[in-house]
Amino acid sequence: QQHVVSLAAGPSSTNPLRYAAGLLAVAVGDDDNSRLYWELVDSGRADIAELGHNDFDGTGTWTTYLCCEPDDVPSNLESLAGVLRGVNRNGITDEELAMAKNKVATAVVLAGERPMGRLSSLGGNWVYAREYRSIQDELASVQGVSTSDIRRLLDEFPLSLTSTVGIGPLSELPEVPGT
């Protein structure tokens, strides 16, 4: 198996666009029922094809991860880049956004029911933003994201395969197509 990881700039933990980024990552690159899943995993072309958003203090990243047979890396990277180009150009649909909101809202509520989940959220919000955010506040932020917020996000932090590394039998990766 060949593993390919790529990083690009994304919104930080204090940037209001982080909610849009989390939802976009779910719609485009979640491990099931996302664009990358349907394009690469469901078709059997890759074992894993994901996009995630990581928000940190002062910075954030888009992280793409691909795991497939070494011979499939060039075509799978081209397909992955094609999906990202399409999202950068056209955003996501209202239906994709609604499904992502439901998935994320469910995760927020479930995490809030476990002490460690709730304390992690409270601690992160306090350390990064010096604010208390209730579960209701988090849900309102998730539900308040619109497709125009997604467009603003993509204009400021486009999805790309900026810094890419591979781990596996390939001695070098093919040229990563532009996104």
Side-chain angles (χ1 to χ4, degrees):
Q1 293 291 311
Q2 182 73 34
H3 304 268
V4 180
V5 178
S6 186
L7 299 173
S12 73
S13 61
T14 56
N15 187 322
L17 290 173
R18 71 186 181 278
Y19 294 99
L23 292 168
L24 183 66
V26 168
V28 175
D30 205 20
D31 62 356
D32 65 9
N33 201 25
S34 68
R35 288 193 187 186
L36 290 177
Y37 173 82
W38 293 115
E39 177 74 20
L40 293 165
V41 178
D42 184 68
S43 66
R45 296 171 51 200
D47 294 323
I48 301 169
E50 297 176 345
L51 167 74
H53 170 254
N54 302 295
D55 53 347
F56 304 108
D57 188 18
T59 191
T61 62
W62 294 117
T63 305
T64 57
Y65 175 58
L66 173 68
C67 177
C68 62
E69 292 297 323
D71 291 343
D72 296 332
V73 168
S75 63
N76 284 347
L77 278 177
E78 178 62 44
S79 292
L80 193 151
V83 169
L84 299 184
R85 278 191 301 271
V87 172
N88 284 335
R89 187 174 41 255
N90 303 316
I92 59 174
T93 66
D94 290 331
E95 181 182 9
E96 288 173 311
L97 182 57
M99 289 190 309
K101 284 180 180 183
N102 289 338
K103 190 178 259 190
V104 171
T106 300
V108 167
V109 171
L110 290 175
E113 291 180 356
R114 295 184 317 269
M116 188 61 187
R118 183 65 188 131
L119 290 174
S120 293
S121 176
L122 285 172
N125 284 322
W126 185 254
V127 167
Y128 295 131
R130 294 283 188 236
E131 68 179 352
Y132 168 79
R133 291 187 53 86
S134 68
I135 292 173
Q136 291 78 12
D137 294 335
E138 291 295 316
L139 290 173
S141 293
V142 168
Q143 293 300 331
V145 173
S146 67
T147 52
S148 63
D149 295 323
I150 299 291
R151 179 74 269 148
R152 276 194 5 251
L153 167 71
L154 290 167
D155 289 344
E156 190 170 339
F157 299 100
L159 302 175
S160 66
L161 303 175
T162 303
S163 299
T164 304
V165 297
I167 302 166
L170 294 180
S171 60
E172 61 182 55
L173 293 175
E175 184 71 27
V176 178
T179 50

